[in-house]
Amino acid sequence: MERGAMQIFVDKEGPESLTRQVYNGIRQQILTGMLPPGRQLPASRKLAAELGIARNVILDAYDLLYAEGFIRSAQGSGTYVAEGAMYSPSPEPEAVAAEPVHMGYDTPAGKINFRSGTPDLSLFPVKIWLQLLREGHVRYSVEALGYGHPEGRPELRQAIREYVVANRGVRCHPDQIVITAGTTQAIGITARLLLAERREVVVEDPITRDIRLIITNLGGRIRPVEVGDKGLMTDRLPTTPPAFIYVTPSHQYPVGVTMPIQQRLELLRYAERTSAYVIEDDYDSEFRFDGPPISSLHSLNPERVVYIGTFSKTLCPAIRTGYLILPPQLITRGREQKWHSDLHNVTATQLALARFIAGGHYQQHLGRMKRLYGQRRQVVVKALADLFGNRAQVLGSATGLHLCVRFPGIVFNAERLAEIEHRGARFYPAAAHAAQTRAYDDSLIIGYGNLQPEEIRAGLVILRTVI
Ligand SMILES: Cc1ncc(COP(=O)(O)O)c(C=O)c1O
């Protein structure tokens, strides 16, 4: 460690370069006023000799200080501390006091977590995925590292188009598709597109709380319409034309019912009459256990329906990839909204996913997961019957990664849920998603996608102990 007359310390073995050390030493003294404005700095040769380091190091440090305005040089008469560079910096913060955002579904350590909508994360096809990511980088290397287009890669839009045409009865051109960061972003984009002259948004009650929050954050006024055993109760739709109607017709979230054709047509007629768009959130219909997925609402009127799909349930939420299928009149503005949100999705992920679908891996994965979730659903249904008999009433259709269960006479308030969690399992109340109806105070959403059969049974035993 060398110390010069200027109170600078240099450590020749230290991790910082010598130039950086000299620069920092002088800079700090100027900022704190130890070296006041107008003070002459030693000649580079002299300071180098004092510190026992090369003169070039001092010259480089002076250059940096000069470039940042800390010092000035007067022609032929040396280097001086500049005016106006004194500042007392605030002390280093010891720890940042940032409150976590309470989303209501953090991962509780050591608890059996019945959170809905999470697929079995341990079965994500990591090997083939990494292989495709790697191949994508090799094949597309340079081009794929630059900026892309907001609507997403043509390879992925083409692959999604083929998938939705074959499996969801959707009729669309790849150019109607915009790749998004999940349903979450797709809802934001749609709301920004459609919340102009009209502010009211019809949503199913109950519906995912996050969806309501996104819409209200963007200036929408929520108009909840109750869900019955045929989905959204179309005879209760408001007479005032809404900006749009948000529905989950294939598998209502969280109740689980499927909207029959009569209600679908009723909804579409209403949308036509009021010149409103219908947003179809088709988040998990791939996992319909009694047969192939039922057709989309979109297939009935592609001009009126904005379709939203996601890979969060079929692959994993962290992939943050979903898509919007827009009617032709909304495509340009939809692309602009995506551009203004985040430019575009990560290119490498898009290319890997395109090849994952086109190569048949997606269908194969879906088939495997559908069998598995079907078995897990059976485990839940059987355990509920064994443990609760007719005190537990399963609502909804046989689809997806969760089911909604009613326990007549029981109220799932915060104390009861805390008691269950204390004993080792976390359950989620359906009432958290209700906008105004109190009809779900006795209901739980039981997510089974990411739980092993023995965990499911153990969790339901805990539930029985408490209720
Ligand atoms: C109704 C509904 N749609 C879609 C999603 C998926 O959201 P994302 O695609 O942003 O992960 C969820 C997630 O829980 C949901 O509850």
Side-chain angles (χ1 to χ4, degrees), residues 121-164:
L121 303 175
S122 68
L123 294 178
F124 178 79
V126 74
K127 203 165 154 212
I128 175 84
W129 183 253
L130 290 180
Q131 191 185 322
L132 291 174
L133 271 178
R134 197 176 163 280
E135 281 172 20
H137 272 291
V138 173
R139 180 184 292 206
Y140 294 92
S141 55
V142 181
E143 187 246 316
L145 295 176
Y147 288 110
H149 290 280
E151 67 272 20
R153 293 290 301 201
E155 298 89 336
L156 180 56
R157 289 185 289 111
Q158 181 63 37
I160 289 175
R161 186 214 170 239
E162 278 164 30
Y163 170 77
V164 290

Side-chain angles (χ1 to χ4, degrees), residues 362-374:
Y362 188 55
Q363 282 292 13
Q364 204 182 341
H365 183 65
L366 285 180
R368 177 180 181 208
M369 300 313 284
K370 185 167 152 172
R371 277 191 299 281
L372 184 91
Y373 297 140

